[in-house]
Amino acid sequence: MTLDRLKQHFPWVTLVVLILIVGAMDPNFLRPQNLVELAGDIAPLFIMALGMTLAIYIGGIDLSAQSVANMTTVLATITLPLFGVFSALVVIAVGFLFGAVSGLVTTRLKVPSFIATLAVGGIALSVGQFASGQRALYMDAGQRDRAFGWMLGSTAGIPHELVLSLVLLAFAWFIQNRMKAGRILKAVGAGELAAVASGLRVDRYKILAFALSGMFAAIAGLLFSVKLSGGSPTLAEGFLLPAIVAVLVGGTPLTGGVGGVLNTLIGAMIVAVVRASMLYLDIPATSQQIFFGIVLIVAIALTIDRSKMRIVK
């Protein structure tokens, strides 16, 4: 079996090994209910990573996801008294719009996606700061429970936020594997010049990928807001790096064209288990960021397709 074929199995093998290692540290970790709760806790990060997968799948990157999620927590808190449950549609539409702007800047102005999304993320941060008055906002508990209380409950021991994550995973998987858009996104990631030469409307689908990434980031922000009963321009701070790590260690390389949303499910669980192990070892949050930074470098080095990047600048 070649190294390339072995690489396909690295993510799930890594996940199993990590679970066994943490289970050896604390046998209670292996209890099914504990693993389910662990998956539920990682739901907002996983949803953010799902959207980012679509941007990375085409060979781009979305660095605005965290800022869009932060902005969404503020907008959700502000719009809840006005629109109730329909505030979800408002913030999701705003996230979609911000993602589409990133796509337009990338395709129409030919600005690299990491610059375009970084700039759009800065705009989202400013919107969140302005709308919140640079302070934390709090939701009315009654209004929150009437509109979004179902997100916080559980059925047969399964957290509803986990169910929501799986529904969104199914939606993203359907786009990737059962729609024309998914086939074109794969073609763009595999070789954009060839996709253009074959007559595909590449720019339109690149914009769609970034728009969907913004939409998923907004849904993650909404879930953050509901879970923590409020909003802040920094509420989702520290989630961008683990979300990128979840995509890359899951097997979707920065050069795009392979991997996908199912891979990100495995990657997100790897991140969840690693974070849990750090809690058991009493490793502080600052050191966790250092660890994820190192993992990110290693993941890129191992997964990147150098045939598409003969020169690195």
Side-chain angles (χ1 to χ4, degrees):
M1 185 176 290
T2 65
L3 180 60
D4 287 338
R5 293 187 65 182
L6 282 173
K7 281 183 178 180
Q8 300 175 10
H9 304 287
F10 282 171
W12 69 263
V13 170
T14 301
L15 176 60
V16 171
V17 170
L18 286 173
I19 289 175
L20 293 176
I21 290 173
V22 180
M25 294 164 52
D26 181 2
N28 289 326
F29 179 81
L30 295 176
R31 290 188 300 111
Q33 189 58 37
N34 183 70
L35 295 175
V36 169
E37 290 174 359
L38 180 67
D41 289 340
I42 206 74
L45 187 149
F46 171 59
I47 293 170
M48 185 187 298
L50 265 182
M52 198 174 294
T53 303
L54 298 175
I56 293 177
Y57 194 56
I58 63 170
I61 188 71
D62 186 0
L63 300 181
S64 69
Q66 178 177 280
S67 295
V68 169
N70 279 325
M71 176 188 67
T72 300
T73 67
V74 174
L75 297 183
T77 304
I78 293 173
T79 58
L80 177 61
L82 300 174
F83 303 111
V85 69
F86 295 105
S87 62
L89 298 179
V90 174
V91 297
I92 289 172
V94 170
F96 188 90
L97 176 62
F98 269 75
V101 170
S102 292
L104 283 168
V105 172
T106 299
T107 56
R108 298 290 189 264
L109 302 182
K110 306 303 179 183
V111 176
S113 59
F114 78 95
I115 294 293
T117 56
L118 191 63
V120 169
I123 295 171
L125 175 63
S126 297
V127 170
Q129 290 175 331
F130 176 78
S132 66
Q134 300 195 48
R135 67 184 191 278
L137 304 178
Y138 299 95
M139 284 183 173
D140 178 87
Q143 292 176 338
R144 182 201 66 176
D145 291 344
R146 284 192 294 274
F148 302 115
W150 59 271
M151 284 187 178
L152 304 176
S154 62
T155 300
I158 307 296
H160 290 168
E161 56 194 317
L162 177 57
V163 175
L164 174 62
S165 298
L166 295 177
V167 169
L168 292 172
L169 171 63
F171 172 66
W173 179 88
F174 185 80
I175 292 175
Q176 179 187 312
N177 294 283
R178 291 292 183 265
M179 293 183 67
K180 175 184 176 181
R183 294 192 293 273
I184 294 177
L185 293 179
K186 181 178 178 66
V188 172
E192 184 170 339
L193 294 178
V196 172
S198 65
L200 298 176
R201 304 187 69 171
V202 168
D203 285 358
R204 173 182 294 183
Y205 289 95
K206 289 177 71 175
I207 293 170
L208 175 63
F210 284 105
L212 289 172
S213 181
M215 183 187 77
F216 277 95
I219 296 173
L222 176 63
L223 186 53
F224 272 124
S225 186
V226 172
K227 283 169 65 75
L228 300 177
S229 195
S232 164
T234 60
L235 198 64
E237 209 67 28
F239 275 77
L240 180 62
L241 191 57
I244 296 174
V245 168
V247 178
L248 297 183
V249 301
T252 304
L254 275 178
T255 41
V258 296
V261 293
L262 286 180
N263 297 69
T264 299
L265 173 63
I266 298 174
M269 289 306 301
I270 290 174
V271 170
V273 174
V274 169
R275 291 176 68 183
S277 66
M278 290 183 177
L279 292 175
Y280 285 124
L281 296 173
D282 292 325
I283 297 176
T286 51
S287 298
Q288 291 181 28
Q289 289 295 314
I290 293 172
F291 175 82
F292 281 122
I294 294 172
V295 171
L296 181 59
I297 294 172
V298 173
I300 293 174
L302 291 177
T303 62
I304 198 166
D305 184 354
R306 288 171 177 79
S307 67
K308 299 180 183 178
M309 298 179 65
R310 298 188 183 278
I311 298 176
V312 178
K313 298 183 178 180

